[in-house]
């Protein structure tokens, strides 16, 4: 007779086995999900391909390849879809091409080749279309429609950067633009609009360097404009009242011109035409006074006189650290003793509570034994079998009389453990502090009590200070050429000083002989003249800054319409006056309005 075996009990698996099973289940779920997504994408791609919905088919096959990149059959299907789509786009391109829309045909042909790089028909038609666009650009170039021609050539180069015909067309277009701008500049120059003419010449040179004589003409026009807006400084001959021709010749017009910045239209002349901006500078050399002074002084020379023993400052610092460490150790040991006393007190209380709990448990055990004995006797004397006498009440053995003692004992155990941890921390801290004290003691004992230091002394010796001063007094009168009033003369003193010390030599103390070495008086006279002319150049530059500041403000007010001819005239002149630091809020808008790639070329930079 066959019997049914009882089921085997399941063995508890380990934590590692459960994790492995969980990972395997998750991997299986991911594989099933990926397979489901892959199959669904392939199915959608096949359906869209049959319906000739090429974009949807391509997107579906790409999703399938994302789920399974190794699916070669999907790669083949995707290639076939793109090849069929390329043929459709090619047919559209042929229709657009036959309608005369070369731009639309070129875009579609590029798309067809992106879908299928082996589409020979599309490549041939694209070559024909590019050649036709180049021919169209040359026709526009002959008809002087330069923007249309450049647009055609750029479109061809965007597709085929190495197209020779398009490159030649771009070069021809640039030459045509350069000639057009050169002709514009020539007309503006003849009309007297030099600022606009300069902009046109610079634009022609930037379109095609060397195609015209625009750079040379721009330099000539720039020079005319600089002469027109130049700030003139009329320097009259210097009046030498001091009888010092060597100083007076440093104040001449040539020296003044050399001190002024050359990139700015600042002209130093001896005569100026009427109605020009500038100043007239009258200089007179009143006096030149050389003065030589000798002063007796004393100097000191520090030298090494010997060595002396002094208390070691490092040892004092180490002793201070040792004392602080010892005081800290005393404080740590005091806290440790307090924690130890508290721990011992709690240990005594814990012992008392343990003994009380044990006595209570013994008493409760005896009472329970007595209750069991009485219960047995009462059960034997029972009149009816199966009757439970009242003496057999279970509560007599579970009275809970010792619960309070046991609770107090458990609380005291927790308190003792906490104090024990505090005591361990205090012991560790005390031990660490003792180690620190011992290290400081070792450091103090290794450091010497005294050290030797060098002892210095000072040797006092006499010196003579020789000072040569050349002072030149110059009177200047600077008046505006457009105003009749004459300002008051201003006299300034310019001084050049050179001094040197001389003394005897004392080899014993390291003081070597130092004879006097003063500069020549003629050199100082030349230097004081240069200092005076530099100050005059600074004053002229300040007047020039005021003059060009007004021109720049006029140009800034016109930047609301930077392409207007009158605004360009004002702006170009203001820029030439600020060639050292052209204002960007004038230069950049002007360059953008006139199509300049490098607006700073207006200044010849």
């Amino acid at each position: 007779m066959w019997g049914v075996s009882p089921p085997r009990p399941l063995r508890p698996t380990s934590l590692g086995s459960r994790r492995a099973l969980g990972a395997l289940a998750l991997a299986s779920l991911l594989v099933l999900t990926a397979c489901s997504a892959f199959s669904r994408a392939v199915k959608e791609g096949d359906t869209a391909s049959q319906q000739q919905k090429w974009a949807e088919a391509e997107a579906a096959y790409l999703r399938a390849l994302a789920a399974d990149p190794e699916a070669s059959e999907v790669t083949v299907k995707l290639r076939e879809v793109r090849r069929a789509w390329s043929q459709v786009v090619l047919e559209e391109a042929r229709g657009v091409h036959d309608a005369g829309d070369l731009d639309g045909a070129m875009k579609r042909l590029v798309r067809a080749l992106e879908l299928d790089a082996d589409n020979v028909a599309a490549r041939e038609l694209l070559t024909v279309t590019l050649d036709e666009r180049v021919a169209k650009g040359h026709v526009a170039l002959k008809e002087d429609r330069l923007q249309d021609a450049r647009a055609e050539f750029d479109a061809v180069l965007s597709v085929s950067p190495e197209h020779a015909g398009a490159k030649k067309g771009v070069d021809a277009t640039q030459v045509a633009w350069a000639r057009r701008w050169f002709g514009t500049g020539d007309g503006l120059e003849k009309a007297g609009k030099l600022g606009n003419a300069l902009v046109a010449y610079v634009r022609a040179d930037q379109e095609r360097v060397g195609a015209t004589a625009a750079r040379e003409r721009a330099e000539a026009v720039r020079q005319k404009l600089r002469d027109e807006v130049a700030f003139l400084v009329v320097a009259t001959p210097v009046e030498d009242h001091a009888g010092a021709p060597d100083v007076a010749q440093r104040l001449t017009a040539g020296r003044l011109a050399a001190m002024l910045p050359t990139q700015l239209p600042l002209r130093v002349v001896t005569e100026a035409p009427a109605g020009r901006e500038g100043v007239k500078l009258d200089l007179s050399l009143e006096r030149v006074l050389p003065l030589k002074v000798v002063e007796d002084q004393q100097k000191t020379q520090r030298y090494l006189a010997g060595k002396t023993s002094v208390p070691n400052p490092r040892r004092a610092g180490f002793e201070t650290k040792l004392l602080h460490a010892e005081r800290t150790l005393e404080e740590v040991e005091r806290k440790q003793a307090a924690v130890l006393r508290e721990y011992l007190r709690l240990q005594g209380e814990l012992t008392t509570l343990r003994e009380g709990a044990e006595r209570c448990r013994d008493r409760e055990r005896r009472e329970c034994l007595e209750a069991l004995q009485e219960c047995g006797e009462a059960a034997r004397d029972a009149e009816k079998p199966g009757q439970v006498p009242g003496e057999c009440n279970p509560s007599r053995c579970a009275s809970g009389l010792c619960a309070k003692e046991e609770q107090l004992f458990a609380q005291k155990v927790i308190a003792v453990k906490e104090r024990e941890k505090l005591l361990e921390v205090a012991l560790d801290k005390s031990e660490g502090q003792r180690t620190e004290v011992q290290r400081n003691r070792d450091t103090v004992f290794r450091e010497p009590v005294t050290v030797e230091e060098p002892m210095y002394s000072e040797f006092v010796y006499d010196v003579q200070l020789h000072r040569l001063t050349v002072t030149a007094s110059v009177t200047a009168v600077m008046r505006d050429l457009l105003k009749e009033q004459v300002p008051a003369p201003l006299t300034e003193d310019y001084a050049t000083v050179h001094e040197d010390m001389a003394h005897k030599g004392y080899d014993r103390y390291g003081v070597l002989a130092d004879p006097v070495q003063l500069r020549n008086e003629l050199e100082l006279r030349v230097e004081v003249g240069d200092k005076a002319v530099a100050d005059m150049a600074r004053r002229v530059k300040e007047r020039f800054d005021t003059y060009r500041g007004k021109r720049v403000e006029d140009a800034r007010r016109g930047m609301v319409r930077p392409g207007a001819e009158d605004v360009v005239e004002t702006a170009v002149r203001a820029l030439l006056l600020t060639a050292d630091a052209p204002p960007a809020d004038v230069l950049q808008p002007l360059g953008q309005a006139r199509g300049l790639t490098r607006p700073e070329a207006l200044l010849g930079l």
Side-chain angles (χ1 to χ4, degrees), residues 217-249:
R217 295 289 292 275
E219 184 60 32
V221 172
R222 188 182 297 111
Q223 189 60 40
K224 290 180 182 179
L225 287 171
R226 288 171 62 91
D227 294 339
E228 178 184 334
V229 300
F231 187 80
L232 301 182
V233 181
V234 182
T236 59
V238 180
E239 298 180 5
D240 186 8
H241 297 162
D246 55 341
V247 179
Q249 65 92 18

Side-chain angles (χ1 to χ4, degrees), residues 274-302:
R276 294 295 300 273
E277 290 280 354
V279 294
K280 184 178 181 181
L281 183 61
D282 297 326
L283 298 178
S284 61
L285 182 61
E286 303 297 337
R287 65 174 183 172
V288 177
L289 178 63
L291 179 62
K292 187 174 183 180
V293 179
V294 179
E295 298 178 0
D296 293 329
Q297 298 180 358
Q298 285 186 338
K299 293 184 68 176
T300 59
Q301 174 70 18
R302 193 181 185 196

